[in-house]
Amino acid sequence: MQLDYRVKIHRLISLIHQAGKVLALTGAGISTESGIPDFRSRNGGLWVRFDPAEIASVQALKRDPATFYRFHLPWWQTCLKAAPNVGHKALAQLEKAGWLLGVITQNIDGLHQAAGSQRVWEVHGHLRNCHCLGCGQIYELKQLYQSFFCTQCGNLLRPQVVLFGDPMPPDYFTAEKVLSGCQLLLIIGSSMQVQPVANLPALARQVVIVNREATPWDDYAELVFHESAGQVLKDLVAGLQGKTGPYFFA
């Protein structure tokens, strides 16, 4: 039996009231409302149309940098020009009010920080910088729009994002620690199909899913929303307004 949307919102508010430590885990689905394409949805997902191992791996970058960057630079530019949407802003409001400890994100677009979130763990890296595979020199990402090669030593530049074949960055292991003792994890806009992030919900006591399409975690969730992430989060904030959130962090 499916619950009425309003009933689910009230139930979510109740879960947040009961929880002492609430975190959000976000994926590409929260940023589609800012005009950024997602990866795995049936309608327009990048990895539905392209094999990620062929176009988004370390091997692909080293094998053919021109093709790699010809594919990625345009949609990265879309990310860099995008503005936070109501979902990003709602999560920032929840954190500021004390209802949310922070955001673990698979996204590289930086929109959580742009919306005002202070505690953000970027488990797939970010688009602020790139660095040289030779000497390690760090540049702003815009350098890639001028040249794919280091001005210091001539070696190939790569973005500070996690590509297929890369090890996970320090933020991922920090996120695992932060999830210790998490009573409620809000999974927002993620298909939960990418490892090892897909295992993170197991560290939380309860999970709530907000995603347009089904995920492997739906059967284990306290609540599942298939509505717009922005709408659900906006309604959640509205339901919590005027109340004092639990101050569960130092």
Side-chain angles (χ1 to χ4, degrees):
M1 175 180 175
Q2 289 189 342
L3 295 176
D4 177 80
Y5 174 75
R6 290 169 297 178
V7 173
K8 289 195 292 184
I9 288 292
H10 285 297
R11 174 61 178 150
L12 176 54
I13 290 169
S14 178
L15 288 172
I16 290 176
H17 274 287
Q18 295 166 18
K21 185 178 182 181
V22 183
L23 286 158
L25 170 59
T26 66
I30 196 172
S31 292
T32 55
E33 293 170 50
S34 291
I36 298 174
D38 68 3
F39 296 95
R40 296 180 186 276
S41 68
R42 290 187 293 270
N43 297 319
L46 286 174
W47 301 155
V48 173
R49 294 176 288 145
F50 303 96
D51 180 353
E54 290 297 319
I55 202 68
S57 66
V58 179
Q59 293 76 15
L61 169 62
K62 293 179 177 179
R63 180 175 64 247
D64 189 348
T67 297
F68 178 91
Y69 283 120
R70 191 182 307 118
F71 176 85
H72 290 283
L73 288 178
W75 81 265
W76 289 348
Q77 190 65 22
T78 299
C79 292
L80 296 172
K81 289 181 177 179
N85 63 54
V86 65
H88 298 108
K89 294 174 183 177
L91 288 175
Q93 287 179 276
L94 290 172
E95 181 188 352
K96 185 176 181 180
W99 295 107
L100 187 71
L101 176 60
V103 177
I104 300 165
T105 187
Q106 297 170 274
N107 298 338
I108 60 175
D109 51 42
L111 292 181
H112 287 299
Q113 294 92 327
S117 291
Q118 299 298 307
R119 295 176 180 84
V120 182
W121 296 276
E122 297 169 305
V123 296
H124 286 164
H126 56 77
L127 286 175
R128 291 184 292 278
N129 306 109
C130 59
H131 70 271
C132 175
L133 289 174
C135 67
Q137 177 72 29
I138 296 176
Y139 298 86
E140 292 184 11
L141 189 83
K142 63 183 180 182
Q143 176 65 26
L144 287 172
Y145 291 86
Q146 301 174 29
S147 173
F148 306 150
F149 300 96
C150 179
T151 59
Q152 302 297 314
C153 72
N155 271 290
L156 183 64
L157 299 179
R158 63 152 293 166
Q160 301 276 64
V161 301
V162 176
L163 302 175
F164 288 87
D166 274 336
M168 297 303 287
D171 266 18
Y172 173 79
F173 300 101
T174 302
E176 285 187 321
K177 294 176 182 177
V178 170
L179 276 164
S180 175
C182 176
Q183 278 85 49
L184 181 62
L185 179 64
L186 309 179
I187 301 173
I188 303 165
S190 175
S191 66
M192 298 309 296
Q193 295 182 39
V194 179
Q195 298 292 350
V197 175
N199 293 326
L200 290 180
L203 300 175
R205 182 178 178 184
Q206 296 176 307
V207 299
V208 168
I209 308 287
V210 182
N211 196 57
R212 288 286 194 183
E213 298 179 359
T215 82
W217 280 94
D218 286 11
D219 290 341
Y220 304 94
E222 295 294 316
L223 293 168
V224 177
F225 293 85
H226 290 308
E227 291 82 8
S228 151
Q231 185 64 55
V232 173
L233 292 171
K234 179 181 177 180
D235 291 340
L236 174 60
V237 169
L240 290 167
Q241 277 180 340
K243 303 177 178 68
T244 302
Y247 194 70
F248 48 73
F249 47 82

